[in-house]
């Protein structure tokens, strides 16, 4: 086995080894922020999918851990390191799939064959990664610790033996040739003695009768991972014909069944956190958008983000070849709450979602959308987006809404982030204003970071800690949106009728559409 | 051979693409509960019910045609269920067999086909028996025609012919076939001879003398060992097996058609039992021509809700004849959405020929039923709420013709009240000018009150009623809109947003004049209603 397989490896990519990190592990806000679908998409099909996905919900308030992960990400920004990691992951995936294939086999020689192949690929992958990393400049503590471990592991006598024996076995089995004769119910297997292709002989014997093209009677058979009973019996005879080669294979798999070093395994699994997210970063950067390593702080709530965007929306828009609009925001001294109002379809919801996403991502230690960012490491994230009405308990929508808001406002602390998007929308304007003021009063008192999207203008000027933001339109074309959300006084213009006209829903338009 | 239980002159087209708005109807009207009760565990019944319910008829004659068949079915429930069970059993016989013939060689296909055909003939005899026994008990045109056609097309002489073929297909004297040599001397182009021809045999033997190293022999019963022989026979049987399998498929398609035509009525029987069991009223509605606008109901209940709850569901009495606009306002959680669904469901049920969940119901038929309900934000995330609402409205307008029925639930509330009202007003006015009937649930006072001023005599105003204790009664009464909703009641009942601990910072904060005056308005409303 590899070096140190019976103790905790002396490295970790996810945080300084030995440091106890408190994590915030809620997911409730993820669907509203559309982060669940982002994480689901980037982890799908990877090793230990669920455990990997779970990492993306484990936020920390420890700035040291965030910086530790940034270091690893920065190492992977080096194309040479990135290529080495990619190649290694590709090989390990193949090794793991071979091993699971092997486990599924009933026939021992088949099982052994898959295992041998897995071992050979594993040896090459470890050898290559050690060689690649050896020559590279690594800046992160995580990657440097692992390199030290890997170099020791690949230089060990044990690894040398694994490598040599897998080569030997491969060569022996690769050279083997045999024949099968079937006569009625009788099947005979022999060593190959260089017989010529009989079908060629038949072809040439009857060739003189040939008048033109003939149709093909070849039946195509699919390859199955298992084996028929006849196939098994044939293989049994082949084994008897070539006892030494198979004895070699048997000894190899017996000796090296658990060839996969646990430290290398741990590295591979932890690396998936970085690989999965960084692949996303790459595809977003290639769409012309920026992600950055944010400055993080668990104390200061002064924030500044430039050119940020909704990650989930960007993925969709970029894949459709559409343009993504980026936004800036900042919270100065004493400023805590963004009240966002203005025309609909103007990016208010997107702004709210972006704000929530940034705080989640910053606390994972991953790059965040934006050219530069300074963000607060929050404890909990509360989101309140309109939900589908639930009739099952005959509870009205309003009561459900109010109970959810109440729950949020009673659980949030000064270190929380709250995102409320058009709550109370099922009430009258008057009720909306009233309940909005109640909720805002509580948020102001809590002093927590908040985005509150509403069309009730009055809420934007309740306290000095409240910052009014508005979505904007193209001057002269009210139906067109810029998706820019900027600081500005709430002005009550929602341009709704312009939008109705765009959908041809004004009365004259409708009378034309329904003749 | 046709059944024509849903239309007098054609099959129902179950393969038709669902309409673009059908999913909305299913969600908004909570049709899933109704369909589940109609299916009673039979997935096929669910699919058929869904198609038939959503494919509304706007022809009063067709509706009455189906009502007559359904009425027969209710009277002859055991007969109809028995016939359906026979048809289902026939199809299940076949499905059961299919597991055995998956290898797909001609020999297995043929023997599978024969077994199927033999099974089908037994079921066909049962179907004929039902027609013989019950022709005299049915009155509807649909069922009479069906039973008569079964007696005509499946007469005794026909069964005799079937029997002969099934006997010969067994090839009890073996399979006989001729073939020819290909240029490499292998056999090709086998032709199967009719049973009875002189027996011939094909033999081919390859005489290799292999150098023996290791050998094994497969027992004669082993399928693998007899592959060559079986393969040869299979080539000969190919065309006959194909014809027999197709014959079985034809009969299967007949049973499938029969099942589809019967399914809707069986589903109606299922739902009827479920409703009666819960003490809900069930009545055949009176379908009326599109004009003039008619809508009157007594004790109309939300069919979906009846099925979802153990409690007694409150019904509504509404007279909206000559009032194509029905505006519903009032308390939250007061039964407004439930009423809207009850109307949508009843109208769909009427327009597919069903009974409705009411003690009386008569309504004009509409070109189609549409729902426009408040929804979670658009999946694409790009549009805001109002944008999404308008987009869905536009899809409805694309599909709508004159005489539509449109049900709105808190629509156009994705913007502020003033603008939402204006958008809603224009849309409703245009729809009414195009002879639509509109049911609109709204909390927007400005919007509702506008129609009170402009259309007092062609609008029916309903309001969610509150009992004396302030609890909703879930019953709607004719009443004008009030200038407030009852959100504050709910807010007070749940104890406010801040921590409930007495003396905690923020407890009761903002509980000022506005709250008291809003509550005051609510009590005034109750008081004035009592007084009225």
């Amino acid at each position: 086995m590899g070096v140190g397989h019976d103790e905790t490896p002396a490295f970790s990519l996810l945080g300084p080894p030995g440091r106890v990190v408190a994590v915030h592990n809620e997911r409730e806000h993820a669907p509203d922020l559309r982060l669940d679908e982002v994480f689901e998409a980037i982890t799908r099909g990877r090793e230990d999918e669920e455990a990997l996905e779970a990492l993306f919900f484990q936020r920390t308030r420890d700035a040291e851990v965030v910086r530790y992960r940034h270091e690893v990400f920065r190492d992977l920004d080096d194309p040479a390191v990135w290529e080495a990691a990619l190649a290694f992951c590709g090989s390990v995936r193949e090794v793991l799939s071979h091993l699971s294939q092997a486990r599924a086999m009933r026939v021992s020689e088949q099982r052994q064959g898959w295992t041998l192949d897995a071992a050979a690929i594993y040896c090459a992958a470890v050898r290559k990664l050690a060689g690649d990393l050896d020559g590279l400049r690594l800046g992160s503590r995580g990657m440097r610790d692992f390199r030290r471990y890997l170099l020791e592991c690949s230089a060990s006598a044990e690894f040398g033996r694994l490598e040599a024996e897998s080569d030997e076995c491969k060569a022996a089995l690769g050279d083997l040739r045999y024949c099968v004769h079937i006569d009625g119910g009788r099947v005979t297997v022999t060593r190959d003695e260089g017989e010529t292709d009989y079908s060629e002989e038949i072809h040439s014997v009857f060739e003189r009768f040939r008048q033109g093209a003939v149709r093909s009677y070849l039946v195509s058979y699919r390859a199955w991972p298992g084996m028929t009973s006849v196939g098994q019996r044939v293989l049994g005879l082949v084994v008897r014909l070539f006892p030494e080669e198979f004895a070699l294979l048997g000894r190899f798999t017996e000796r090296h069944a658990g060839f996969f070093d646990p430290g290398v395994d741990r590295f591979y699994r932890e690396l998936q956190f970085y690989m999965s997210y960084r692949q996303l970063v790459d595809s977003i950067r290639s769409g012309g958008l920026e992600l950055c390593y944010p400055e993080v702080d668990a104390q200061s709530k002064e924030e500044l983000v430039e050119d940020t965007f909704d990650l989930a929306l960007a993925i969709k828009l970029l894949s459709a070849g559409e343009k993504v609009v980026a936004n800036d925001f900042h919270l100065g001294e004493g400023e805590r709450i963004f009240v966002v109002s203005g025309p609909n379809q103007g990016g208010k919801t997107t702004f709210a979602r972006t704000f929530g996403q940034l705080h989640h991502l910053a606390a994972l230690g991953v790059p965040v959308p934006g050219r530069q960012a300074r963000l607060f490491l929050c404890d909990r994230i509360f989101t309140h987006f309109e939900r589908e009405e639930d009739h099952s308990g005959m509870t009205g929508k309003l009561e459900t809404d109010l109970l959810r808001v109440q729950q949020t406002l009673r659980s949030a602390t000064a270190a929380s982030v709250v995102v409320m998007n058009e709550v109370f929308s099922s009430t009258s304007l008057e009720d909306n204003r009233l309940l909005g003021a109640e909720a805002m009063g509580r948020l102001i008192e809590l002093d927590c970071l908040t985005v509150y999207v509403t069309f009730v203008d009055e809420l934007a000027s309740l306290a000095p800690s409240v910052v009014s933001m508005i979505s904007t339109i193209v001057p002269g074309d009210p139906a067109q949106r810029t998706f820019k959300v900027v600081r500005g006084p709430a002005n009550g213009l929602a341009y709704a009728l312009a939008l109705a006209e765009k959908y041809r829903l004004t009365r004259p338009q409708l009378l034309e559409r329904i003749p | 051979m046709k059944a024509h239980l849903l239309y007098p002159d054609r099959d129902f087209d179950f393969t038709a693409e669902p309409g673009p708005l059908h999913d909305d109807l299913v969600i908004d009207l909570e049709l899933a509960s109704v369909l589940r009760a109609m299916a009673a565990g039979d997935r096929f019944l669910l699919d058929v019910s869904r198609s038939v319910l959503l494919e509304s008829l706007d022809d009063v004659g067709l509706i009455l045609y189906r009502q007559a068949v359904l009425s027969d079915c209710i009277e002859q429930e055991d007969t109809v269920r028995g016939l359906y069970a026979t048809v289902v059993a026939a199809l299940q016989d076949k499905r059961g067999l299919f597991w055995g013939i998956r290898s797909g060689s001609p020999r297995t296909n043929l023997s599978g086909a024969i077994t199927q055909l033999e099974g089908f003939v037994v079921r066909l005899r049962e179907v004929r028996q039902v027609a013989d026994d019950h022709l005299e008990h049915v009155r509807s045109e649909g069922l009479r025609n069906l039973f008569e056609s079964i007696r005509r097309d499946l007469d005794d002489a026909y069964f005799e012919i079937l029997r002969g073929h099934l006997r010969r297909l067994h090839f009890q004297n073996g399979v006989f076939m001729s073939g020819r040599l290909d240029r490499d001397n292998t056999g090709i182009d086998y032709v199967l001879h009719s049973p009875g021809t002189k027996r011939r045999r094909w033999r081919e033997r390859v005489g290799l003398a292999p150098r023996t190293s290791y050998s094994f022999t497969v027992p004669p019963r082993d399928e693998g060992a007899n592959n060559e022989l079986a393969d040869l026979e299979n080539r000969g049987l190919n065309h006959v097996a194909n014809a027999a399998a197709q014959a079985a498929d034809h009969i299967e398609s007949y049973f499938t058609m029969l099942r589809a035509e019967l399914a809707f009525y069986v589903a109606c029987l299922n739902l009827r039992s479920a409703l009666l069991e819960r003490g809900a009223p069930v009545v055949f509605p009176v379908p009326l021509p599109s004009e003039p606008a008619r809508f009157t109901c007594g004790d109309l209940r939300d069919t979906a809700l009846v099925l979802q709850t153990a409690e007694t569901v409150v019904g509504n009495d509404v007279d909206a004849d000559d009032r194509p606009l029905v505006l519903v306002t009032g308390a939250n959680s007061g039964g407004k959405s439930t009423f809207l669904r009850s109307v949508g469901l009843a109208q769909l049920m009427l327009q597919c020929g069903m009974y409705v969940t009411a003690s009386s119901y008569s309504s004009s038929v509409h070109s189609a039923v549409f729902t426009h309900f408040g929804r979670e934000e658009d999946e694409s995330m790009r549009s805001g709420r109002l944008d999404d609402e308008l987009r869905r409205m536009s899809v409805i307008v694309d599909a709508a013709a004159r005489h539509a029925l449109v049900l709105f639930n808190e629509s156009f509330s994705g913007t502020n009240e003033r603008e939402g009202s204006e958008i809603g007003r224009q849309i409703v006015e245009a729809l009414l000018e195009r002879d639509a009937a509109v049911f609109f649930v709204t909390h927007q006072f400005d919007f509702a009150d506008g129609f009170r001023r402009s259309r007092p005599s062609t609008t029916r105003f309903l309001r969610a009623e509150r009992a004396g204790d302030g609890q909703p009664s879930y019953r709607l009464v004719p009443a004008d809109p009030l200038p407030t909703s009852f959100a504050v009641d709910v807010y007070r009942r749940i104890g406010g947003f801040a921590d409930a601990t007495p003396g905690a910072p923020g407890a009761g904060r903002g509980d000022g004049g506005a709250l008291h005056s809003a509550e005051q308005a609510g009590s005034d409303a109750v008081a004035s209603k009592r007084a009225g």
Side-chain angles (χ1 to χ4, degrees):
Chain A
M1 296 308 109
V3 180
H5 71 280
D6 52 359
E7 58 195 58
T8 309
F11 66 87
S12 169
L13 294 185
L14 297 174
R19 192 180 182 99
V20 180
V21 178
V23 290
H24 292 274
N25 204 359
E26 312 90 13
R27 297 175 173 240
E28 288 80 6
H29 59 278
D32 279 344
L33 299 180
R34 311 263 194 217
L35 281 174
D36 55 342
E37 60 192 54
V38 172
F39 298 146
E40 207 270 329
I42 64 176
T43 57
R44 192 184 301 136
R46 286 180 184 267
E47 205 59 35
D48 262 349
E49 196 173 309
E50 276 177 38
L52 176 60
E53 198 186 350
L55 281 180
F56 286 100
F57 293 99
Q58 292 166 10
R59 294 176 296 110
T60 179
R61 296 196 69 202
D62 187 338
E64 186 52 28
V65 170
V66 170
R67 282 191 282 274
Y68 188 90
R69 292 184 180 183
H70 286 175
E71 286 174 11
V72 175
F73 271 113
R74 284 182 206 274
D75 271 342
L76 289 167
D77 283 339
D78 176 350
V81 177
W82 177 246
E83 288 305 324
L86 265 186
F88 175 74
C89 289
S91 298
V92 172
R93 257 198 303 282
E94 209 179 335
V95 171
L96 294 174
S97 101
H98 277 32
L99 288 178
S100 85
Q101 187 74 269
R103 281 191 292 276
M105 294 295 104
R106 285 178 300 114
V107 181
S108 66
E109 287 82 5
Q110 274 194 297
R111 204 159 51 230
Q112 293 168 346
W114 283 112
T115 307
L116 170 62
D117 206 39
I121 297 167
Y122 170 79
C123 288
V126 167
R127 185 61 72 199
K128 179 163 187 315
L129 182 64
D132 287 346
L133 294 184
D134 201 14
L136 293 171
R137 229 175 53 84
L138 297 174
S140 68
R141 287 163 280 174
M143 289 294 281
R144 281 207 301 260
D145 287 352
F146 171 68
R147 177 171 60 189
R148 195 172 312 117
Y149 175 87
L150 183 69
L151 289 175
E152 271 176 46
C153 170
S154 63
S156 69
E158 178 139 11
F159 183 77
R161 213 161 34 243
L162 175 68
E163 217 173 17
E165 287 175 18
S166 73
D167 284 352
E168 185 193 1
C169 245
K170 275 264 158 204
L173 290 167
D175 288 343
L176 187 152
R177 298 282 184 276
Y178 69 93
C179 286
V180 179
H181 289 159
I182 300 163
D183 179 16
R186 190 167 179 75
V187 178
T188 308
V189 181
T190 60
R191 280 180 181 259
D192 178 60
E193 284 164 10
E195 287 162 29
T196 56
D197 183 345
Y198 183 62
S199 73
E200 297 289 351
E201 213 176 301
I202 301 292
H203 275 307
S204 64
V205 167
F206 292 95
E207 179 63 27
R208 71 194 64 180
F209 298 104
R210 182 185 176 105
Q211 304 300 312
V214 289
R215 61 176 279 208
S216 168
Y217 285 92
L218 294 172
V219 176
S220 54
Y221 289 98
R222 266 194 291 169
W224 296 97
M227 218 180 224
T228 65
S229 62
V230 169
Q232 271 182 50
R233 297 188 68 177
V234 170
L235 180 57
L237 299 187
V238 173
V239 172
R240 287 167 70 185
L241 284 171
F242 300 95
E244 300 85 10
E245 287 85 344
F246 282 95
L248 197 64
L249 176 62
R251 277 197 305 276
F252 176 87
T253 52
E254 208 172 295
R255 199 176 296 158
H256 299 292
F259 64 81
F260 208 126
D261 180 83
V264 174
D265 183 55
R266 174 185 179 139
F267 169 75
Y268 170 74
R269 282 164 207 276
E270 292 186 347
L271 186 61
Q272 297 314 301
F273 175 74
Y274 295 92
M275 301 302 285
S276 57
Y277 193 80
R278 210 181 163 289
Q279 253 161 8
L280 173 66
V281 171
D282 264 0
S283 76
I284 288 188
R285 283 195 177 138
S286 69
L289 294 167
E290 278 300 322
L291 288 96
C292 66
Y293 298 105
E295 242 179 82
V296 293
D297 197 315
Q299 310 302 323
S300 166
K301 295 182 201 167
E302 288 178 32
E303 299 199 326
L304 173 81
V305 184
E306 272 180 30
D307 282 340
T308 189
F309 50 89
D310 176 340
L311 190 60
L313 180 60
I315 292 168
K316 288 204 171 152
L317 291 180
L318 291 179
S319 72
E322 290 177 50
K323 190 168 158 284
V324 178
V325 175
N327 274 298
D328 307 335
F329 67 80
H330 72 272
L331 286 169
E333 198 184 343
E335 293 179 332
R336 298 289 183 259
I337 300 178
F338 288 120
V339 169
V340 187
S341 61
N344 278 309
Q345 213 206 349
K348 291 183 293 186
T349 298
T350 301
F351 180 85
R353 195 173 278 136
T354 306
F355 187 82
Q357 286 178 1
L358 283 170
H359 289 89
H360 184 103
L361 296 173
L364 293 176
V366 301
V368 304
R371 189 176 304 283
Q372 64 157 318
R374 188 171 66 240
L375 291 163
F376 174 67
L377 290 175
C378 62
D379 56 9
R380 297 183 60 184
I381 298 175
F382 298 92
T383 58
H384 197 112
F385 285 55
E386 203 197 2
R387 297 272 166 95
E388 195 107 17
E389 197 169 352
D390 174 17
H391 301 299
S392 55
M394 292 215 257
T395 312
K397 175 172 164 44
L398 178 74
E399 182 162 351
T400 316
D401 278 356
L402 291 186
L403 284 170
R404 284 192 62 230
V405 173
Q406 180 191 58
Q407 170 97 40
T408 293
L409 294 178
R410 288 183 179 179
S411 318
T413 73
S416 301
V417 164
V418 177
V419 180
M420 293 209 178
N421 189 26
E422 309 229 1
V423 290
F424 316 130
S425 62
S426 69
T427 67
S428 71
L429 180 60
E430 180 60 15
D431 282 346
N432 194 337
R433 195 186 61 74
L434 207 90
L435 296 172
E438 289 289 306
M440 280 291 292
R442 174 69 181 151
L443 288 164
I444 291 164
E445 189 176 64
L446 276 168
D447 200 39
C448 58
L449 295 180
T450 300
V451 170
Y452 191 101
V453 179
T454 181
F455 49 72
V456 180
D457 295 350
E458 301 93 296
L459 300 180
S461 50
L462 284 181
S465 64
V466 178
V467 176
S468 174
M469 300 283 279
I470 51 171
S471 54
T472 56
I473 53 139
V474 176
D477 183 2
Q480 190 168 342
R481 305 301 192 237
T482 64
F483 303 109
K484 279 279 184 195
V485 173
V486 300
R487 284 193 176 219
N491 59 18
L493 291 173
Y495 300 90
L497 280 177
L499 203 57
E501 200 162 309
K502 175 181 151 193
Y503 282 103
R504 299 189 296 135
L505 291 173
T506 63
R507 184 176 155 275
Q509 286 171 320
L510 282 175
L511 291 177
E512 214 167 281
R513 289 175 72 182
I514 307 176
Chain B
M1 292 172 71
K2 293 297 182 188
H4 289 169
L5 293 180
L6 291 166
Y7 293 99
D9 53 353
R10 63 185 169 97
D11 289 348
F12 190 89
D13 182 8
F14 290 98
T15 62
E17 280 288 305
L21 293 154
H22 284 181
D23 285 345
D24 281 354
L25 280 176
V26 171
I27 294 165
D28 293 340
L29 300 180
E30 299 192 1
L31 215 50
S33 307
V34 179
L35 294 175
R36 211 175 306 123
M38 294 182 80
D42 183 337
R43 172 80 214 185
F44 183 83
L45 292 185
L46 192 136
D47 293 341
V48 168
S49 304
R50 187 187 148 107
S51 301
V52 178
L53 255 172
L54 292 173
E55 202 56 58
S56 282
L57 303 174
D58 57 2
D59 178 324
V60 173
L62 283 179
I63 292 169
L64 294 174
Y65 178 86
R66 288 192 196 168
Q67 284 191 358
V69 174
L70 180 53
S71 176
D72 262 346
C73 290
I74 289 170
E75 276 175 37
Q76 298 290 321
E77 177 156 355
D78 291 345
T79 304
V80 170
R81 286 188 182 278
L83 181 57
Y84 182 74
T86 298
V87 171
V88 170
L91 293 166
Q92 270 166 357
D93 291 347
K94 179 174 180 195
R95 201 155 306 140
L97 292 169
F98 249 121
W99 295 112
I101 59 166
R102 268 192 295 183
S103 72
S105 77
R107 166 53 88 184
T108 50
N109 287 349
L110 176 62
S111 80
I114 292 168
T115 318
Q116 281 170 27
L117 287 168
E118 286 169 341
F120 277 153
V121 169
V122 173
R123 299 299 183 183
L124 286 172
R125 283 189 195 278
E126 292 174 24
V127 168
R128 181 33 217 291
Q129 194 64 48
V130 171
D132 284 348
D133 293 349
H134 297 284
L135 176 59
E136 57 183 307
H137 301 132
V138 295
R139 285 191 300 267
S140 66
E141 186 189 343
L143 274 177
R144 284 202 70 84
N145 284 343
L146 172 64
F147 286 174
E148 278 166 4
S149 85
I150 288 170
R151 285 164 53 89
R152 193 171 54 242
D153 294 329
L154 298 177
D155 64 2
D156 293 344
Y158 181 69
F159 279 111
E160 193 50 39
I161 294 169
L162 289 182
R163 211 170 58 87
H165 282 299
L166 283 176
R167 202 180 51 233
R168 285 197 290 280
L169 273 173
H170 279 289
F171 297 107
Q172 272 163 354
N173 297 323
V175 167
F176 303 92
M177 57 197 195
S178 59
R180 68 177 181 88
L181 282 179
D182 203 353
R183 55 194 71 144
D184 61 353
N185 276 338
T186 57
I188 53 167
D189 291 346
Y190 297 105
V191 176
L192 194 76
H193 289 200
S194 177
T197 323
K198 193 187 154 199
R199 184 172 181 171
R200 280 175 292 177
R201 220 171 230 180
W202 259 95
R203 277 197 158 189
E204 190 178 338
R205 204 176 185 86
V206 182
L208 279 177
R211 277 178 287 261
T212 307
S213 272
Y214 294 103
S215 308
F216 63 88
T217 304
V218 180
R221 286 177 173 279
D222 192 309
E223 201 184 334
N226 292 301
N227 261 352
E228 277 185 20
L229 200 58
D231 180 65
L232 191 63
E233 185 188 71
N234 272 321
R235 290 166 197 229
L237 289 173
N238 220 354
H239 291 286
V240 173
N242 178 51
Q246 284 179 344
D249 281 352
H250 289 319
I251 300 184
E252 185 193 13
S253 69
Y254 172 72
F255 278 117
T256 304
M257 178 278 297
L258 206 50
R259 182 179 188 190
E261 296 276 332
L262 285 168
F264 172 68
Y265 295 100
V266 172
C268 289
L269 294 175
N270 288 342
L271 176 61
R272 184 171 175 273
S273 308
L275 292 172
L276 292 178
E277 206 172 279
R278 288 166 171 78
V282 172
V283 70
F284 274 109
V286 182
L288 298 168
S290 298
E291 287 183 50
R294 291 277 180 262
F295 180 88
T296 306
C297 64
D299 198 6
L300 172 64
R301 307 195 192 178
D302 176 358
T303 312
L305 190 58
V306 168
L307 296 167
Q308 284 164 6
T309 177
E311 293 158 44
T312 302
V313 170
V314 174
N316 276 297
D317 306 322
V318 175
D319 176 355
D321 282 351
D322 297 316
R323 292 171 189 261
L325 175 60
V326 177
L327 258 171
V328 188
T329 59
N332 286 307
S333 308
K336 302 191 299 269
S337 300
T338 299
F339 170 68
L340 207 56
R341 276 196 303 278
S342 73
V343 172
L345 283 171
Q347 195 66 26
L348 283 182
M349 288 162 81
L350 178 151
Q351 297 202 201
C352 74
M354 283 175 83
Y355 46 79
V356 297
T357 313
S359 60
S360 67
Y361 189 96
S362 62
S363 167
S364 307
V365 296
H366 297 286
S367 54
V369 178
F370 299 101
T371 52
H372 189 273
F373 282 30
R375 253 324 138 59
E376 201 159 3
E377 275 188 60
D378 177 53
E379 284 296 309
S380 77
M381 294 181 279
R382 267 175 292 175
S383 21
R385 274 188 47 228
L386 181 65
D387 194 58
D388 178 49
E389 288 187 285
L390 295 179
R391 188 186 52 71
R392 282 193 287 128
M393 189 64 224
S394 187
V395 175
I396 289 174
V397 173
D398 280 337
R402 274 176 188 265
H403 300 117
L405 171 64
V406 190
L407 308 173
F408 292 96
N409 195 0
E410 305 284 16
S411 296
F412 316 120
S413 55
T415 182
N416 68 53
E417 190 167 334
R418 184 176 54 82
E419 293 191 343
S421 298
E422 179 57 19
I423 291 175
R425 190 188 62 79
Q426 296 211 17
I427 289 172
V428 170
E429 288 288 357
L431 287 173
L432 294 175
E433 278 182 67
R434 290 298 179 250
D435 305 314
V438 173
F439 285 70
F440 207 124
V441 166
T442 182
H443 65 266
Q444 298 190 333
F445 172 73
D446 191 46
F447 172 72
D449 201 51
F451 286 107
R452 188 185 56 80
R453 290 189 303 267
S454 65
R455 293 179 158 270
S457 62
T458 55
T459 304
R460 170 64 67 210
F461 292 97
L462 298 175
R463 205 164 69 202
E465 198 188 27
R466 278 177 186 253
D469 57 1
Q471 289 299 310
S473 69
Y474 303 113
R475 196 183 299 281
L476 303 181
V477 294
D480 288 344
L482 286 177
T484 183
S485 82
F486 296 84
V488 171
D489 295 0
V490 180
Y491 178 70
R492 292 176 64 84
R493 193 169 71 241
I494 68 168
F497 290 148
D499 205 315
T501 320
R509 224 195 66 88
D511 196 359
L515 291 181
H516 286 302
S517 67
E519 192 205 18
Q520 196 62 41
S523 327
D524 288 350
V526 174
S528 71
K529 193 202 74 207
R530 280 202 197 121

